[in-house]
Each structure stands twice: as C-alpha cells, then as structure tokens.
Amino acid sequence: MKLLLAILPFLAGQAVAETIVATRSIRPQQLITSEDVRVDPAVVDGAHVSLVEVIGQEARVAIYAGRAVMMGQVGKPALVERNQMVELIFVRGGLQIAAEGRALARAGSGERIRVMNTDSRTVLFGTVESNGTVVVSK
C-alpha cells in the first residue's frame, strides 16, 4: 500500500492533457482545416481538446496563431447569411404554413435564429434546418 502511494504522484504527472492551438491566424467565418490547428501538450481551461471538435467548423471570431482555440470561438458552418431570403415553415398538428422571410443573423444547421416574415414584418425565432429552411415558432 505504501509503495502504491509513493508511485501515484509520478503516475499522475504522466497524464496527457492536450489543447488545440491555431498554427496560423484564422479569420472569422473561415472554415478550419487540419493545416490551421495542431495539438499542444498544454492545459488551457476552456479550450478545445480534440481536433475532431474543431476541424470542419467555422471560426466565429479571429483566432490568432499560437493561441488556444477556446470553446465558443468555433461553430457549425453557416447555411444562412444575414439578410438572406429564407423559406419559413410553421408546423402545428396537421397544419403546415410556408412563407418567405429574411434572416436577421448568420446561422448553421440546428441553430436558433431571428427571422422576419416579409409579408407581415413580424420578427420570429426559428431553427435552421439542414436544407436552409427555417422552422419558426411564435
């Protein structure tokens, strides 16, 4: 038992902690590739720890070379751009209504977004679908 307690601090020091770091400056709205990031053996609280979480995502803000890629700095690539015309779909029970709307922000699949119905000028919230339509809720 004493031997195990003596060895534990050395084993704990061998635990591998990794952080994803930008290899070059990444502009906002740029898709992140494997050449843009690398794994660093440092520990940074709030940073991504896996390349799979970052590669293929879109930078939400500028990420500078040599800095850790923090949570919230990357997200799904945008399917809908601000001011883009989108199809609004409202579904309740067996009723389905389609209308034309304007996106009030950028968003990717599965993200909530504010949209304006172009006929009534009503601002609604909706979720962007994988085909670019927005399913709205009141």
Side-chain angles (χ1 to χ4, degrees):
M1 182 69 175
K2 289 183 181 181
L3 179 61
L4 179 61
L5 291 175
I7 295 175
L8 276 177
F10 294 108
L11 293 175
Q14 294 178 350
V16 177
E18 298 174 336
T19 297
I20 305 304
V21 174
T23 58
R24 54 184 164 204
S25 292
I26 302 169
R27 296 182 325 271
Q29 302 178 8
Q30 178 181 333
L31 288 180
I32 299 173
T33 66
S34 59
E35 291 82 32
D36 296 325
V37 291
R38 65 178 166 80
V39 176
D40 194 68
V43 176
V44 177
D45 289 335
H48 284 277
V49 297
S50 171
L51 288 173
V52 175
E53 297 173 349
V54 176
I55 294 175
Q57 298 294 310
E58 179 180 86
R60 300 284 189 216
V61 296
I63 304 170
Y64 298 102
R67 299 231 177 126
V69 180
M70 305 302 288
M71 299 287 183
Q73 289 184 327
V74 298
K76 293 179 183 178
L79 290 176
V80 175
E81 295 291 330
R82 186 172 194 271
N83 288 324
Q84 177 181 333
M85 299 306 288
V86 294
E87 182 179 21
L88 306 177
I89 305 291
F90 177 80
V91 179
R92 177 153 303 156
L95 177 68
Q96 179 173 333
I97 301 171
E100 187 175 59
R102 181 178 304 277
L104 299 178
R106 297 179 82 244
S109 178
E111 292 181 322
R112 286 188 47 84
I113 186 174
R114 286 183 30 201
V115 291
M116 181 179 61
N117 181 319
T118 54
D119 291 332
S120 67
R121 303 248 184 233
T122 303
V123 176
L124 306 163
F125 284 94
T127 303
V128 178
E129 297 292 310
S130 60
N131 63 0
T133 62
V134 178
V135 177
V136 296
S137 55
K138 211 169 183 186

